[in-house]
Amino acid sequence: MMRLHPPRHPAARARLPRRLRQGAVLAVDIAAPIAAYYVLRAAGASVYVALLVSAVLPAVSTGVQLLRGRKLDQLGLFMAVMTLLSAGVATISGDDQFLLAKDGWLTTVTGIWMLATTRAHRPFVYHFARVLLEGRVGPGGERWESLWQRLPRFRRFWRVANVIWGTATLLDAGVRVAMAYTLPVNVVPALNGLQYGVLFVILQLATNIYYFRVGLFNPRSALYQAEAG
């Protein structure tokens, strides 16, 4: 019988449900705290209490996943650590502006850490993109570890992409801190959540332009050719 669609690479098939699950968990971890903040404020809770509860909710979600025996890769472990750190930071100060700026401070740490991994064994963005794209890009579905080992261009490509993400993350952090200390308190949580979406869209546009120019999605591009000599 003739196939109507070409078969997917097995790794890509296995990752699709995983990506959907990760996306759903991330959406809940962003939306639930914002909703909790405004519900608590409407019920008469103080700004500090509402912010504290909204900061702890993602940590509870992460704790439940860990208790259920969910295995974490490097990216998942990083997200879990940042979530738990966020909850910890929320408990150390009674200042409303500091709590509002919490996402900005932690995003600063994230951006610095991203840039610090640029010359590491594998840059942060490589791990992030591998979860989403391995098996869908490259010559013949070749494993990314093989491409990394044999192609200097491939390694340079991901180091440049890592700098783009790290720099954008630091700029995003600066905006979050500025909003926390200059805008009305009850406006900031919603804007913080909206900003995650804006950052994601901007980074997707910027990095995909770079990806297409370098040839990530073209298996015959120079990116996948061994350098002479």
Side-chain angles (χ1 to χ4, degrees), residues 50-72:
L51 287 172
L52 184 60
V53 171
S54 66
V56 169
L57 281 178
V60 172
S61 172
T62 298
V64 169
Q65 293 176 60
L66 292 175
L67 288 174
R68 291 173 65 180
R70 179 189 173 199
K71 293 181 179 179
L72 297 177

PDB file of all heavy atoms in Angstrom, residues 50-72:
ATOM      1  N   ALA A  50       0.335  37.478  47.937  1.00  0.00           N
ATOM      2  CA  ALA A  50      -0.052  37.038  46.600  1.00  0.00           C
ATOM      3  C   ALA A  50       1.180  36.692  45.762  1.00  0.00           C
ATOM      4  O   ALA A  50       1.191  35.684  45.043  1.00  0.00           O
ATOM      5  CB  ALA A  50      -0.869  38.118  45.901  1.00  0.00           C
ATOM      6  N   LEU A  51       2.221  37.508  45.858  1.00  0.00           N
ATOM      7  CA  LEU A  51       3.450  37.236  45.111  1.00  0.00           C
ATOM      8  C   LEU A  51       4.149  35.988  45.630  1.00  0.00           C
ATOM      9  O   LEU A  51       4.692  35.189  44.857  1.00  0.00           O
ATOM     10  CB  LEU A  51       4.398  38.440  45.198  1.00  0.00           C
ATOM     11  CG  LEU A  51       4.011  39.674  44.386  1.00  0.00           C
ATOM     12  CD1 LEU A  51       4.933  40.842  44.734  1.00  0.00           C
ATOM     13  CD2 LEU A  51       4.084  39.384  42.888  1.00  0.00           C
ATOM     14  N   LEU A  52       4.146  35.812  46.947  1.00  0.00           N
ATOM     15  CA  LEU A  52       4.807  34.652  47.544  1.00  0.00           C
ATOM     16  C   LEU A  52       4.125  33.358  47.105  1.00  0.00           C
ATOM     17  O   LEU A  52       4.798  32.398  46.696  1.00  0.00           O
ATOM     18  CB  LEU A  52       4.784  34.772  49.063  1.00  0.00           C
ATOM     19  CG  LEU A  52       5.528  33.691  49.843  1.00  0.00           C
ATOM     20  CD1 LEU A  52       7.008  33.686  49.471  1.00  0.00           C
ATOM     21  CD2 LEU A  52       5.353  33.902  51.343  1.00  0.00           C
ATOM     22  N   VAL A  53       2.806  33.324  47.163  1.00  0.00           N
ATOM     23  CA  VAL A  53       2.068  32.121  46.753  1.00  0.00           C
ATOM     24  C   VAL A  53       2.290  31.844  45.269  1.00  0.00           C
ATOM     25  O   VAL A  53       2.524  30.691  44.866  1.00  0.00           O
ATOM     26  CB  VAL A  53       0.565  32.279  47.044  1.00  0.00           C
ATOM     27  CG1 VAL A  53      -0.224  31.124  46.429  1.00  0.00           C
ATOM     28  CG2 VAL A  53       0.322  32.345  48.555  1.00  0.00           C
ATOM     29  N   SER A  54       2.249  32.885  44.449  1.00  0.00           N
ATOM     30  CA  SER A  54       2.430  32.683  43.007  1.00  0.00           C
ATOM     31  C   SER A  54       3.837  32.209  42.688  1.00  0.00           C
ATOM     32  O   SER A  54       4.053  31.497  41.694  1.00  0.00           O
ATOM     33  CB  SER A  54       2.114  33.974  42.239  1.00  0.00           C
ATOM     34  OG  SER A  54       3.042  34.997  42.546  1.00  0.00           O
ATOM     35  N   ALA A  55       4.822  32.576  43.525  1.00  0.00           N
ATOM     36  CA  ALA A  55       6.192  32.129  43.291  1.00  0.00           C
ATOM     37  C   ALA A  55       6.387  30.675  43.688  1.00  0.00           C
ATOM     38  O   ALA A  55       7.197  29.956  43.095  1.00  0.00           O
ATOM     39  CB  ALA A  55       7.170  33.003  44.077  1.00  0.00           C
ATOM     40  N   VAL A  56       5.611  30.215  44.675  1.00  0.00           N
ATOM     41  CA  VAL A  56       5.775  28.851  45.182  1.00  0.00           C
ATOM     42  C   VAL A  56       5.079  27.824  44.289  1.00  0.00           C
ATOM     43  O   VAL A  56       5.517  26.668  44.195  1.00  0.00           O
ATOM     44  CB  VAL A  56       5.256  28.757  46.630  1.00  0.00           C
ATOM     45  CG1 VAL A  56       5.168  27.315  47.103  1.00  0.00           C
ATOM     46  CG2 VAL A  56       6.163  29.561  47.564  1.00  0.00           C
ATOM     47  N   LEU A  57       4.023  28.209  43.591  1.00  0.00           N
ATOM     48  CA  LEU A  57       3.240  27.260  42.789  1.00  0.00           C
ATOM     49  C   LEU A  57       4.083  26.466  41.786  1.00  0.00           C
ATOM     50  O   LEU A  57       3.962  25.237  41.712  1.00  0.00           O
ATOM     51  CB  LEU A  57       2.108  27.991  42.065  1.00  0.00           C
ATOM     52  CG  LEU A  57       0.869  28.312  42.903  1.00  0.00           C
ATOM     53  CD1 LEU A  57      -0.140  29.087  42.063  1.00  0.00           C
ATOM     54  CD2 LEU A  57       0.246  27.049  43.454  1.00  0.00           C
ATOM     55  N   PRO A  58       4.944  27.110  40.968  1.00  0.00           N
ATOM     56  CA  PRO A  58       5.752  26.316  40.038  1.00  0.00           C
ATOM     57  C   PRO A  58       6.680  25.343  40.752  1.00  0.00           C
ATOM     58  O   PRO A  58       6.966  24.259  40.232  1.00  0.00           O
ATOM     59  CB  PRO A  58       6.558  27.379  39.268  1.00  0.00           C
ATOM     60  CG  PRO A  58       5.758  28.628  39.396  1.00  0.00           C
ATOM     61  CD  PRO A  58       5.157  28.552  40.760  1.00  0.00           C
ATOM     62  N   ALA A  59       7.167  25.727  41.943  1.00  0.00           N
ATOM     63  CA  ALA A  59       8.028  24.823  42.699  1.00  0.00           C
ATOM     64  C   ALA A  59       7.256  23.586  43.139  1.00  0.00           C
ATOM     65  O   ALA A  59       7.789  22.472  43.146  1.00  0.00           O
ATOM     66  CB  ALA A  59       8.614  25.544  43.908  1.00  0.00           C
ATOM     67  N   VAL A  60       5.989  23.763  43.512  1.00  0.00           N
ATOM     68  CA  VAL A  60       5.154  22.615  43.886  1.00  0.00           C
ATOM     69  C   VAL A  60       4.987  21.687  42.684  1.00  0.00           C
ATOM     70  O   VAL A  60       5.090  20.459  42.802  1.00  0.00           O
ATOM     71  CB  VAL A  60       3.782  23.099  44.392  1.00  0.00           C
ATOM     72  CG1 VAL A  60       2.846  21.917  44.603  1.00  0.00           C
ATOM     73  CG2 VAL A  60       3.944  23.895  45.682  1.00  0.00           C
ATOM     74  N   SER A  61       4.726  22.287  41.510  1.00  0.00           N
ATOM     75  CA  SER A  61       4.582  21.491  40.281  1.00  0.00           C
ATOM     76  C   SER A  61       5.850  20.700  39.993  1.00  0.00           C
ATOM     77  O   SER A  61       5.807  19.503  39.666  1.00  0.00           O
ATOM     78  CB  SER A  61       4.257  22.415  39.105  1.00  0.00           C
ATOM     79  OG  SER A  61       4.293  21.717  37.882  1.00  0.00           O
ATOM     80  N   THR A  62       6.999  21.362  40.119  1.00  0.00           N
ATOM     81  CA  THR A  62       8.276  20.687  39.884  1.00  0.00           C
ATOM     82  C   THR A  62       8.504  19.572  40.891  1.00  0.00           C
ATOM     83  O   THR A  62       8.950  18.474  40.547  1.00  0.00           O
ATOM     84  CB  THR A  62       9.433  21.703  39.965  1.00  0.00           C
ATOM     85  OG1 THR A  62       9.263  22.682  38.941  1.00  0.00           O
ATOM     86  CG2 THR A  62      10.778  21.015  39.787  1.00  0.00           C
ATOM     87  N   GLY A  63       8.185  19.838  42.167  1.00  0.00           N
ATOM     88  CA  GLY A  63       8.341  18.818  43.197  1.00  0.00           C
ATOM     89  C   GLY A  63       7.493  17.589  42.930  1.00  0.00           C
ATOM     90  O   GLY A  63       7.941  16.455  43.125  1.00  0.00           O
ATOM     91  N   VAL A  64       6.260  17.807  42.466  1.00  0.00           N
ATOM     92  CA  VAL A  64       5.373  16.681  42.149  1.00  0.00           C
ATOM     93  C   VAL A  64       5.963  15.838  41.024  1.00  0.00           C
ATOM     94  O   VAL A  64       5.964  14.605  41.074  1.00  0.00           O
ATOM     95  CB  VAL A  64       3.974  17.194  41.762  1.00  0.00           C
ATOM     96  CG1 VAL A  64       3.127  16.067  41.165  1.00  0.00           C
ATOM     97  CG2 VAL A  64       3.280  17.802  42.968  1.00  0.00           C
ATOM     98  N   GLN A  65       6.488  16.507  39.993  1.00  0.00           N
ATOM     99  CA  GLN A  65       7.086  15.771  38.878  1.00  0.00           C
ATOM    100  C   GLN A  65       8.288  14.949  39.331  1.00  0.00           C
ATOM    101  O   GLN A  65       8.468  13.805  38.893  1.00  0.00           O
ATOM    102  CB  GLN A  65       7.505  16.754  37.784  1.00  0.00           C
ATOM    103  CG  GLN A  65       6.334  17.453  37.103  1.00  0.00           C
ATOM    104  CD  GLN A  65       6.803  18.468  36.099  1.00  0.00           C
ATOM    105  OE1 GLN A  65       7.487  18.125  35.144  1.00  0.00           O
ATOM    106  NE2 GLN A  65       6.449  19.733  36.302  1.00  0.00           N
ATOM    107  N   LEU A  66       9.092  15.511  40.222  1.00  0.00           N
ATOM    108  CA  LEU A  66      10.264  14.783  40.709  1.00  0.00           C
ATOM    109  C   LEU A  66       9.847  13.596  41.579  1.00  0.00           C
ATOM    110  O   LEU A  66      10.430  12.511  41.491  1.00  0.00           O
ATOM    111  CB  LEU A  66      11.169  15.731  41.504  1.00  0.00           C
ATOM    112  CG  LEU A  66      11.858  16.834  40.686  1.00  0.00           C
ATOM    113  CD1 LEU A  66      12.619  17.783  41.613  1.00  0.00           C
ATOM    114  CD2 LEU A  66      12.813  16.231  39.661  1.00  0.00           C
ATOM    115  N   LEU A  67       8.825  13.802  42.409  1.00  0.00           N
ATOM    116  CA  LEU A  67       8.357  12.721  43.268  1.00  0.00           C
ATOM    117  C   LEU A  67       7.737  11.586  42.453  1.00  0.00           C
ATOM    118  O   LEU A  67       7.766  10.426  42.874  1.00  0.00           O
ATOM    119  CB  LEU A  67       7.332  13.259  44.271  1.00  0.00           C
ATOM    120  CG  LEU A  67       7.897  14.150  45.388  1.00  0.00           C
ATOM    121  CD1 LEU A  67       6.764  14.731  46.226  1.00  0.00           C
ATOM    122  CD2 LEU A  67       8.856  13.353  46.275  1.00  0.00           C
ATOM    123  N   ARG A  68       7.183  11.919  41.302  1.00  0.00           N
ATOM    124  CA  ARG A  68       6.586  10.892  40.442  1.00  0.00           C
ATOM    125  C   ARG A  68       7.638  10.143  39.627  1.00  0.00           C
ATOM    126  O   ARG A  68       7.316   9.312  38.790  1.00  0.00           O
ATOM    127  CB  ARG A  68       5.557  11.537  39.510  1.00  0.00           C
ATOM    128  CG  ARG A  68       4.319  12.045  40.248  1.00  0.00           C
ATOM    129  CD  ARG A  68       3.410  12.817  39.349  1.00  0.00           C
ATOM    130  NE  ARG A  68       2.847  11.973  38.284  1.00  0.00           N
ATOM    131  CZ  ARG A  68       2.013  12.431  37.347  1.00  0.00           C
ATOM    132  NH1 ARG A  68       1.656  13.712  37.356  1.00  0.00           N
ATOM    133  NH2 ARG A  68       1.545  11.621  36.424  1.00  0.00           N
ATOM    134  N   GLY A  69       8.901  10.479  39.894  1.00  0.00           N
ATOM    135  CA  GLY A  69       9.984   9.754  39.252  1.00  0.00           C
ATOM    136  C   GLY A  69      10.301  10.204  37.851  1.00  0.00           C
ATOM    137  O   GLY A  69      10.894   9.467  37.072  1.00  0.00           O
ATOM    138  N   ARG A  70       9.931  11.435  37.510  1.00  0.00           N
ATOM    139  CA  ARG A  70      10.227  11.934  36.182  1.00  0.00           C
ATOM    140  C   ARG A  70      11.731  12.095  36.011  1.00  0.00           C
ATOM    141  O   ARG A  70      12.402  12.703  36.837  1.00  0.00           O
ATOM    142  CB  ARG A  70       9.546  13.286  35.952  1.00  0.00           C
ATOM    143  CG  ARG A  70       9.846  13.869  34.587  1.00  0.00           C
ATOM    144  CD  ARG A  70       9.330  15.295  34.500  1.00  0.00           C
ATOM    145  NE  ARG A  70       9.758  15.910  33.256  1.00  0.00           N
ATOM    146  CZ  ARG A  70       9.786  17.219  33.053  1.00  0.00           C
ATOM    147  NH1 ARG A  70       9.426  18.039  34.014  1.00  0.00           N
ATOM    148  NH2 ARG A  70      10.169  17.706  31.890  1.00  0.00           N
ATOM    149  N   LYS A  71      12.275  11.537  34.936  1.00  0.00           N
ATOM    150  CA  LYS A  71      13.698  11.682  34.664  1.00  0.00           C
ATOM    151  C   LYS A  71      13.952  13.031  34.002  1.00  0.00           C
ATOM    152  O   LYS A  71      13.242  13.435  33.084  1.00  0.00           O
ATOM    153  CB  LYS A  71      14.181  10.561  33.739  1.00  0.00           C
ATOM    154  CG  LYS A  71      14.130   9.181  34.395  1.00  0.00           C
ATOM    155  CD  LYS A  71      14.649   8.114  33.445  1.00  0.00           C
ATOM    156  CE  LYS A  71      14.615   6.755  34.111  1.00  0.00           C
ATOM    157  NZ  LYS A  71      15.108   5.682  33.196  1.00  0.00           N
ATOM    158  N   LEU A  72      14.985  13.720  34.465  1.00  0.00           N
ATOM    159  CA  LEU A  72      15.304  15.031  33.944  1.00  0.00           C
ATOM    160  C   LEU A  72      16.586  14.977  33.129  1.00  0.00           C
ATOM    161  O   LEU A  72      17.598  14.460  33.588  1.00  0.00           O
ATOM    162  CB  LEU A  72      15.479  16.040  35.090  1.00  0.00           C
ATOM    163  CG  LEU A  72      14.245  16.306  35.972  1.00  0.00           C
ATOM    164  CD1 LEU A  72      14.604  17.267  37.082  1.00  0.00           C
ATOM    165  CD2 LEU A  72      13.104  16.854  35.136  1.00  0.00           C
TER     166      LEU A  72
END
